[in-house]
Amino acid sequence: MLKLSDFWRNRVEEMAAIDLGSNSFHMIVARLEKGELKVLDRIKEPVRLGFGLSADGKLDDLSQRRALECLARFGQRISHLPPHAVRAVGTRTLRKAANAGPFLARAETALGHSIDVVSGAEEARLIYQGVAQGLDDELDRRLVVDIGGGSTEVIVGEQFQPLLLDSLGMGCVAIMRDFFDDGQLSKKSVKKAITFCLQKIEPVHDGFERIGWQRAIGCSGSIKSISKVAEAMTGNPVITRSLLNDLCDQAGQSKNVDDFNPNGLTSDRKPVFLGGLIVLRAVFEGLGLETMEASPWALREGLLYDLIGRYDHEDVRSRGVQHLAQRFHTDTEQAKRVADTALRFFNDNLVALGLDQPEPWSNYLRWAAQVAEVGLDISHNQFHKHSGYIVANCDLAGFSHEEQQRLTFLVRHHRKKPDLNKLTELGEDDQILMPILLVIFRIATVLHRARTGSTSDGVKLRIDGEQILLSARSDWWDNHGLTQADLEQEAQYLSKLGFGLLLQQSLTE
């Protein structure tokens, strides 16, 4: 299980994780006691969000209404929890929906907490983390498969570490919508859907075959429902290839979806059971599986343990940023110099910024300093643009889309002329604070352009509305003429952001 520090072992904390899936919305509420999670409540509602994705890529009004009503009920259950104790994530459908932004604003109001939309890779990582926490701490290499409403996550890992992961664009809701929307069934339609799924698996087959595994584990409602059908039909909950073949043959012999009703199938799962069955049948064939066991733990549990890590100094986001910096050979000493100065300036101005504590915003300054120069591996010319592109398009473990967008904004605009149009791509709240963070980060970068450790010693920064006051003793200005020239140039850049940079001489240290 997750190694928890004494901080967590000696406290009681209630927390909640919410999964806004393409088929169902799930919420788990748990209490952390003596280093162990005790589940207090599990709530699941079949919202069928993926069915509401219209041809133009927008969520229809009915699916939005169902989702908002569900989230309002979830919100009532966890209204007593502080923001740091709740994590809600959206998956495939919310990644695809063209009108996800307006919907998420209403959804966060209904829930009373923020909602992160995570990438397919991040979804896969969280799923593996959840499954791994529910298993014995053994040395087997595991294949974990999660069939969601809009995508299927496939991961190979050892213990708590995923080694290879992918998110495939096939899910139980998507298959039902795209192949069986009229309710008609035939051998031909079932075969066509299986072939579609095999095409999704084909590009990743070799990579998964090379890495190998000793144990196959499935999670999610689809796989658990297939396991229950297996137990009803054979007396054993283990899913086998022959069972999947038999079930698909039964489906092909039925005239419509309503006629396909295998033993052990519950009424709430019936609308999407066939879609999940076809996806799993293709996974078995595409990856050469013979058997699979079902795990009761999945994304929600992974979210809970990830939430614990963020407040236990084991934030996976920090590790992800560090790995990216190492991959592109950044100068760690320079990153630390810039980060230390930026964080000092930020902490000195918390009151002026109306903040009670530096986190989570201070994290972005530290992370940005670590990866601001990853683009140097491509070219020194306009390297901040290369850095911004890399940060925006890589899979950063632990980051939601919004969090990665914030980090990209700081990295992409930390030098040269800032692009004001990119500011409007941030959320409304971010458009207020992120420019301030950018100003602080840019000034810290300028102060350490010489890449020495003492350039910012004795320099103070004070924020007064849109005025940025940078002060140092007269002898500092005398000894850093080149830096002063760089700061005067920076003042012109900052004016484009609506800020005035005033350089002052102070009388005291």
Side-chain angles (χ1 to χ4, degrees), residues 342 346 353 361 364-365 368 406-420 422-423 426 430 432-446 461 463 468 490 493-494 496-497 499:
F346 179 69
L353 297 175
W361 304 106
Y364 292 101
L365 290 171
R406 290 170 182 160
L407 182 57
T408 300
F409 175 77
L410 291 177
V411 170
R412 167 63 179 79
H413 303 289
H414 81 280
R415 62 191 293 268
K416 302 295 184 178
K417 183 179 178 181
D419 184 353
L420 293 180
K422 297 297 182 182
L423 178 61
L426 299 174
D430 287 350
I432 298 174
L433 189 55
M434 289 305 296
I436 297 287
L437 291 184
L438 179 61
V439 168
I440 292 173
F441 185 48
R442 287 179 65 101
I443 293 175
T445 301
V446 170
L461 182 145
I463 298 172
I468 311 298
E490 181 63 22
Y493 287 136
L494 295 186
K496 306 295 184 182
L497 290 170
F499 292 95

Side-chain angles (χ1 to χ4, degrees), residues 66-322:
R66 287 197 305 264
L68 294 171
E69 290 172 353
C70 170
L71 290 173
R73 289 188 286 272
F74 283 6
Q76 292 173 10
R77 173 63 180 82
I78 58 173
S79 60
H80 63 291
L81 295 181
H84 77 267
V86 177
R87 187 157 185 225
V89 299
T91 55
R92 173 82 175 182
T93 295
L94 290 177
R95 288 196 292 268
K96 290 180 61 179
N99 56 342
F103 167 74
L104 284 170
R106 298 169 64 195
E108 290 181 338
T109 299
L111 181 63
H113 292 275
S114 62
I115 299 171
D116 296 330
V117 178
V118 295
S119 68
E122 175 62 7
E123 182 181 355
R125 185 192 69 81
L126 290 167
I127 288 166
Y128 181 82
Q129 179 74 13
V131 172
Q133 294 292 343
L135 299 174
D136 294 332
D137 193 8
E138 53 189 73
L139 299 179
D140 286 350
R141 182 170 290 183
R142 310 134 175 174
L143 171 75
V144 174
V145 178
D146 183 297
I147 300 173
S151 63
T152 294
E153 278 60 52
V154 185
I155 314 103
V156 172
E158 292 177 348
Q159 297 183 308
F160 304 113
Q161 182 62 45
L163 304 175
L164 179 66
L165 51 82
D166 216 311
S167 181
L168 307 177
M170 57 185 189
C172 61
V173 172
I175 294 298
M176 295 304 296
R177 185 190 63 224
D178 295 343
F179 291 92
F180 308 104
D181 193 44
D182 60 359
Q184 300 301 303
L185 271 181
S186 66
K187 290 183 179 180
K188 184 177 180 180
S189 63
V190 171
K191 184 178 180 180
K192 184 177 180 181
I194 292 174
T195 300
F196 168 83
C197 294
L198 287 171
Q199 289 176 315
K200 294 290 185 181
I201 298 169
E202 184 179 18
V204 305
H205 167 270
D206 288 352
F208 280 94
E209 185 180 60
R210 279 195 298 270
I211 197 168
W213 57 85
Q214 290 82 47
R215 184 180 182 185
I217 303 168
C219 56
S220 77
S222 285
I223 291 177
K224 287 188 288 185
S225 66
I226 295 172
S227 176
K228 290 178 181 178
V229 169
E231 187 170 21
M233 294 177 63
T234 69
N236 190 333
V238 173
I239 301 169
T240 65
R241 185 187 288 212
S242 61
L243 172 81
L244 296 176
N245 290 339
D246 290 344
L247 287 171
C248 286
D249 287 343
Q250 289 180 32
Q253 293 167 8
S254 303
K255 292 187 180 298
N256 58 65
V257 173
D258 290 337
D259 291 341
F260 179 54
N261 192 28
N263 292 336
L265 177 59
T266 58
S267 58
D268 67 312
R269 200 70 205 176
K270 187 172 181 178
V272 296
F273 179 80
L274 176 60
L277 171 65
I278 286 173
V279 170
L280 191 59
R281 163 69 176 75
V283 168
F284 265 61
E285 180 178 342
L287 296 181
L289 302 181
E290 293 297 331
T291 62
M292 175 180 286
E293 59 190 285
S295 168
W297 285 31
L299 177 60
R300 279 80 65 192
E301 290 76 13
L303 281 170
L304 285 178
Y305 281 100
D306 198 65
L307 192 61
I308 292 170
R310 291 191 175 193
Y311 293 91
D312 196 32
H313 307 294
E314 295 181 0
D315 192 338
V316 69
R317 294 173 298 178
S318 294
R319 293 202 302 272
V321 168
Q322 183 179 1

